[in-house]
Amino acid sequence: MLRPRWIGVLLLALVVAGVFAFLGQWQLERAIDTEPTPVGITEEVRPLADVVEPGQYLPEPYVGQRVETEGSWVAGDFLIVSSRFNDGAEGYWVTGQLRVDDAASIAVAVGWAADRESADAAASALENDAAGTEATITGRVISDEGPSLPPAEDPFAMNKMSPAMLLGQWHDVEELSVYRPYLASVDAPAGLVDIVSPAPDELGTVNWLNIFYAIEWAVFAGFAFYIWYRLAKDRWELEVEAFEDSASA
């Protein structure tokens, strides 16, 4: 081990272990949130513009944030989304396009209905009474669920709350900016039930996955020294074996 060759291998192992130690420290620094989101912050009603902008992804601290916004309902865009659960009961959401300014809209889940007939009736009533009128909406802003393939028998059916899918059926969308997340209204109009949307779970301040990665880097650093030791010992054993063979000869 004191030969120059194996001292050089030891120095190389030190460099490799140092890199692994740096990576482990980097993981640990990101494993603990030193500025956690205050408890209950999502229950404070904030202006929509302060939380997310059109076309942007919803930042993680604001998932489920209660917001308020004003706008006008766009005629012809009260659509139905199926497979919506309210307190464990499956039903339907009536959704609408809320034009918050001249060139931006957000998808709003207006309310819940237990059956398709009630949802269609509520959508028709909203079309007659609310389309084109100003509205102030308070609700939770929630990330897009992602699009899904509609059934072959009904290409316009939707079972995911996805603004991207709704945009494909909306009217007056030329040069329109659309919010990626959607808004689940807390107050349903007549004929619909309020959407049950509880506060999101508080995020933990410790990311155990990052801690696991940090431990892995520490193991790798130790393994670099083991490889140096194992190579040196193998070489020593080979020389001892050669010496014994020559002595016996």
Side-chain angles (χ1 to χ4, degrees):
M1 289 181 176
L2 295 179
R3 293 177 183 175
R5 176 183 179 182
W6 296 107
I7 291 177
V9 176
L10 174 60
L11 292 176
L12 178 60
L14 283 169
V15 172
V16 173
V19 173
F20 289 159
F22 170 78
L23 293 173
Q25 182 183 10
W26 179 77
Q27 290 285 359
L28 281 176
E29 289 176 352
R30 283 149 184 78
I32 301 176
D33 188 0
T34 57
E35 297 180 359
T37 304
V39 176
I41 192 67
T42 59
E43 302 311 289
E44 298 177 5
V45 179
R46 306 182 60 177
L48 176 63
D50 291 352
V51 173
V52 66
E53 295 291 332
Q56 293 183 350
Y57 288 100
L58 182 62
E60 184 174 331
Y62 294 122
V63 174
Q65 177 71 45
R66 288 170 64 97
V67 299
E68 183 179 75
T69 188
E70 296 179 351
S72 59
W73 297 111
V74 177
D77 289 345
F78 289 101
L79 306 174
I80 309 299
V81 177
S82 62
S83 300
R84 302 292 92 189
F85 288 86
N86 231 37
D87 276 342
E90 186 175 2
Y92 301 83
W93 276 358
V94 176
T95 71
Q97 180 192 169
L98 187 69
R99 188 66 54 86
V100 295
D101 62 37
D102 293 339
S105 289
I106 187 169
V108 180
V110 181
W112 180 87
D115 53 74
R116 183 59 188 256
E117 292 73 16
S118 300
D120 288 336
S124 297
L126 287 169
E127 191 65 47
N128 294 329
D129 301 334
T133 63
E134 295 293 323
T136 299
I137 303 296
T138 300
R140 292 193 187 278
V141 61
I142 304 174
S143 298
D144 185 348
E145 295 180 3
S148 63
L149 289 175
E153 62 273 11
D154 187 359
F156 295 104
M158 293 176 287
N159 58 13
K160 297 284 188 181
M161 186 58 185
S162 171
M165 293 183 66
L166 293 169
L167 178 61
Q169 299 187 42
W170 281 353
H171 300 81
D172 188 23
V173 296
E174 186 176 355
E175 297 183 359
L176 179 69
S177 296
V178 178
Y179 284 83
R180 288 181 179 272
Y182 65 91
L183 193 59
S185 177
V186 297
D187 296 318
L192 294 173
V193 178
D194 292 345
I195 295 173
V196 176
S197 180
D201 295 333
E202 299 294 339
L203 297 177
T205 58
V206 178
N207 187 325
W208 292 103
L209 184 59
N210 277 359
I211 290 180
F212 175 75
Y213 287 152
I215 294 173
E216 279 191 333
W217 287 121
V219 172
F220 293 158
F223 193 66
F225 291 108
Y226 174 77
I227 290 177
W228 164 75
Y229 165 77
R230 188 70 255 179
L231 290 174
K233 185 177 180 181
D234 287 348
R235 182 61 184 178
W236 174 73
E237 290 177 344
L238 182 63
E239 291 183 4
V240 169
E241 184 179 348
F243 175 77
E244 291 176 345
D245 290 343
S246 62
S248 62

